[in-house]
Amino acid sequence: MKYSNCSAITLVIVLAGFLAFAAHSAEPPAITFPRPFAAGGLVDPAAGFQFSVPEALSAEVEARLILNGADVSDRLERAGDPPGRSWVFRDLAPDAAYTARIEVALGEQTESRETRFYTYTRTVDGYRGIWFTLGQIQGEYGDKYSAGSAFAWSHTLTPMAVYAPEADKTFFVYSGTTSPEERYLLTMAAYYDHTTGRVPRPTIVRDQRGVDDPHDNASIAIDEDGRVWVFVAGRGRHRPGQIFRATAPYSVAEFEQIAEREQTYSQVWPVPGRGFLHLLTKYTRGRELYWETSPDGRAWSGQRKLAGFGGHYEVSRLHGAMAGTAFNYHPGGNVDKRTNLYYIQTADFGATWTTVSGETVETPLAEKENPALVLDYESEGRNVYIQKLIFDGAGRPAILYLTSRGHEPGPENGPREWRVTRWTGGEWATSTVTESDHNYDAGSFYIEGDRWTVIAPALAGPQPWHTGGEVGLWASTDAGATWALERQVTRDSTGNHSYIRRPHNPRDPFYAFWADADSSAFSPSRIHFTNSGGTRVFTLPYSMEGDDAAPIPVE
């Protein structure tokens, strides 16, 4: 692959010498790195690329460094205190890609290690999504989910993009990686400039330090001063999340870290005149739902439990001052048996929570039979994969989700139906949009006046029965009662498209965005977006020569 402003460099380091413990061991010393490091990760060019061997290795050992065919051993330094067992190469170029091979000799025994690393410090020269697989199921139809997961998952965090009319830009976050050969997660922030039709080099908000799990994906918000906030999800109690704030209004050039703490699956909404309402999950007894508020993003009210009976996944949305959340539940804490549909809302910044009809509910909800229950799918033996919550012009909620007969991929758990359950003002009504071939075929939902649309990867893709597929647009002109396929948005793709997202307050042409990849095997993942009619699709540049670039139209 060609890297802009980068040089692909091969380091061959040969270490040989006498060892103080040679008489006691015939095993070669292990090559290690003095800080957490994963292949494909980031190295600070100012600190240099470092490696070590065991403490007992004699300081008399000599090292030879061959760099692009030239002997530059005089530029390889001893490191450590006292110096001896570690080496550092400091003469690294910024924004470069490196390939390294290290060889260590112990008498006639040798050990070698190969690795790649990168010296990106602030931005990356292109939009590279990350690929991920859960590794839970191995079979004819692939894993429970595996795909390009830069925007996974809608039931864990939202929004991942926000349109700011004051700047005429759609700001977004995603999980990127360092190169097409790597699964090294970087929390990235960028924007689409509606005035110029261009995107900048994406900014590294946080190096996830060897994590490749998109449970660490981020959500985004913009406060009343125009500052972009990024909430990076953690993973349970063993991997904390972080809160970042941009240092300048309507900019993603630089961020400061505000907090690091336990927060999983952040869904954050700036309520006008009040501050942030933050819906999140904690692994207290399974996956339980919490909320908290803050006037400024720094001082928080304390995390209060919203629901806790087996575990839950939720989707949420803000409509004026009204925030709603729709969620399922996990019988016995088993996420593979997720079922039922629930809904509650708050109009007073979390002070009280009510049903859609205004009945006050006591929190935390602790039993599966409660006033928030909308539909009992458990009695039908159906799983519920919750997708999107939005409000119509009258402020009435509508929920998009998928149902199936079980969690394993393949035809035996079909039909997998996309459904919309909407509040009519007096009752909940449900309709079927289409069918799909995988439980994680996640799409987006829009209401523009009398036109309701679903943009989803529900059409058969190049990897059938795997996560994602080809993208289609389904439309309804009778408030969601009936649906029809209006347009096939993508076709003849090499990889499945997956995890389609909608910006909060979307504006054309950046109306829906997603990533693609081969869902059956590790592959590069690219990022795409389309307009509201699905008539134009663009790909963000995987590699960039300059500081900004125009998205590439897909014919």
Side-chain angles (χ1 to χ4, degrees):
M1 173 180 176
K2 179 180 178 181
Y3 287 87
S4 305
N5 301 322
C6 296
S7 57
I9 300 174
T10 301
L11 301 174
V12 181
I13 303 168
V14 182
L15 305 176
F18 293 101
L19 304 174
F21 60 97
H24 305 286
S25 174
E27 295 296 324
I31 302 168
T32 60
F33 298 102
R35 67 175 184 85
F37 183 86
L42 299 186
V43 169
D44 181 354
F49 172 64
Q50 301 180 43
F51 61 92
S52 301
V53 292
E55 198 79 47
L57 186 61
S58 169
E60 300 299 322
V61 169
E62 295 182 359
R64 187 167 67 95
L65 169 63
I66 299 173
L67 181 62
N68 283 353
D71 191 335
V72 291
S73 300
D74 57 333
R75 293 157 62 187
L76 189 63
E77 303 174 13
R78 292 282 191 180
D81 186 17
R85 75 182 191 93
S86 297
W87 287 261
V88 59
F89 179 73
R90 299 186 186 280
D91 195 10
L92 297 173
D95 300 321
Y98 291 90
T99 301
R101 178 178 172 83
I102 302 168
E103 294 183 353
V104 174
L106 173 56
E108 295 182 356
Q109 300 294 321
T110 62
E111 180 187 354
S112 63
R113 182 170 181 183
E114 293 186 3
T115 189
R116 290 183 291 266
F117 64 91
Y118 304 83
T119 56
Y120 303 125
T121 56
R122 190 181 65 84
T123 63
V124 174
D125 60 334
Y127 289 80
R128 302 170 191 139
I130 192 169
W131 188 94
F132 179 77
T133 186
L134 183 65
Q136 179 176 315
I137 298 174
Q138 304 294 325
E140 178 183 0
Y141 305 111
D143 201 357
K144 189 170 74 171
Y145 50 76
S146 58
S149 52
F151 302 106
W153 290 271
S154 54
H155 62 265
T156 59
L157 50 91
T158 196
M160 295 190 78
V162 179
Y163 172 67
E166 298 83 357
D168 199 23
K169 295 176 180 177
T170 296
F171 293 90
F172 61 97
V173 290
Y174 68 98
S175 285
T177 192
T178 46
S179 82
E181 296 86 11
E182 309 298 350
R183 289 170 50 184
Y184 188 93
L185 194 152
L186 302 172
T187 299
M188 309 296 298
Y191 59 81
Y192 173 78
D193 190 324
H194 292 262
T195 302
T196 66
R198 298 176 74 84
V199 293
R201 289 193 177 203
T203 297
I204 301 170
V205 180
R206 187 173 191 273
D207 174 2
Q208 293 300 95
R209 301 168 188 172
V211 172
D212 68 355
D213 183 350
H215 284 94
D216 284 32
N217 280 7
S219 50
I220 192 172
I222 302 176
D223 66 21
E224 292 183 324
D225 295 327
R227 300 296 182 100
V228 176
W229 291 71
V230 175
F231 286 64
V232 179
R235 185 66 165 143
R237 296 180 175 180
H238 66 279
R239 202 160 71 220
Q242 297 81 31
I243 300 175
F244 294 88
R245 175 180 178 266
T247 58
Y250 302 112
S251 170
V252 294
E254 185 178 6
F255 287 86
E256 59 175 333
Q257 182 171 310
I258 302 300
E260 180 171 87
R261 61 188 186 147
E262 182 184 355
Q263 61 178 37
T264 304
Y265 307 161
S266 289
Q267 305 192 21
V268 56
W269 301 105
V271 179
R274 303 296 297 269
F276 291 111
L277 173 65
H278 182 205
L279 303 172
L280 67 153
T281 299
K282 296 179 72 172
Y283 282 58
T284 42
R285 289 186 303 169
R287 295 162 174 84
E288 296 186 316
L289 304 182
Y290 286 75
W291 89 96
E292 62 180 348
T293 59
S294 172
D296 57 6
R298 298 177 184 271
W300 292 90
S301 62
Q303 297 170 349
R304 291 165 284 178
K305 188 184 295 188
L306 187 65
F309 48 97
H312 315 278
Y313 289 131
E314 71 178 328
V315 292
S316 61
R317 186 68 53 185
L318 184 70
H319 181 79
M322 174 73 73
T325 175
F327 52 97
N328 56 22
Y329 105 98
H330 309 156
N334 188 341
V335 299
D336 289 332
K337 295 183 178 180
R338 65 191 74 179
T339 189
N340 285 2
L341 187 64
Y342 300 85
Y343 175 83
I344 54 175
Q345 61 190 26
T346 178
D348 55 10
F349 204 49
T352 56
W353 293 86
T354 72
T355 65
V356 68
S357 59
E359 176 188 353
T360 300
V361 299
E362 295 295 325
T363 58
L365 298 169
E367 302 292 338
K368 69 176 183 178
E369 299 289 341
N370 63 67
L373 180 62
V374 174
L375 287 172
D376 178 7
Y377 278 110
E378 186 176 21
S379 63
E380 300 178 21
R382 299 194 69 87
N383 282 10
V384 171
Y385 295 81
I386 202 156
Q387 304 266 1
K388 288 291 183 294
L389 165 68
I390 58 174
F391 292 88
D392 66 14
R396 295 174 298 202
I399 308 161
L400 174 70
Y401 56 98
L402 183 148
T403 68
S404 76
R405 294 291 180 185
H407 75 281
E408 299 94 344
E412 65 275 9
N413 284 317
R416 296 176 173 86
E417 294 183 340
W418 291 76
R419 296 182 179 181
V420 168
T421 294
R422 64 201 186 279
W423 180 248
T424 65
E427 63 179 358
W428 291 101
T430 299
S431 58
T432 298
V433 179
T434 187
E435 292 186 6
S436 212
D437 68 0
H438 198 277
N439 291 332
Y440 286 83
D441 290 351
S444 273
F445 188 17
Y446 305 81
I447 298 178
E448 302 284 353
D450 294 332
R451 178 176 168 82
W452 294 35
T453 56
V454 169
I455 302 177
L459 301 173
Q463 291 90 48
W465 306 108
H466 289 68
T467 309
E470 296 285 12
V471 180
L473 186 151
W474 287 261
S476 172
T477 56
D478 54 8
T482 60
W483 295 84
L485 177 64
E486 182 176 275
R487 180 178 300 277
Q488 181 165 345
V489 178
T490 66
R491 65 179 68 245
D492 301 324
S493 303
T494 57
N496 281 0
H497 304 271
S498 58
Y499 303 117
I500 296 178
R501 293 292 196 141
R502 59 162 284 159
H504 188 55
N505 188 26
R507 185 190 175 193
D508 274 333
F510 203 95
Y511 201 77
F513 57 103
W514 66 89
D516 72 354
D518 184 331
S519 292
S520 64
F522 173 67
S523 69
S525 174
R526 291 170 174 81
I527 296 172
H528 312 276
F529 66 91
T530 188
N531 62 356
S532 57
T535 58
R536 302 186 70 193
V537 177
F538 299 87
T539 302
L540 297 185
Y542 200 86
S543 298
M544 299 172 62
E545 297 288 343
D547 292 335
D548 62 3
I552 303 162
V554 177
E555 298 298 334

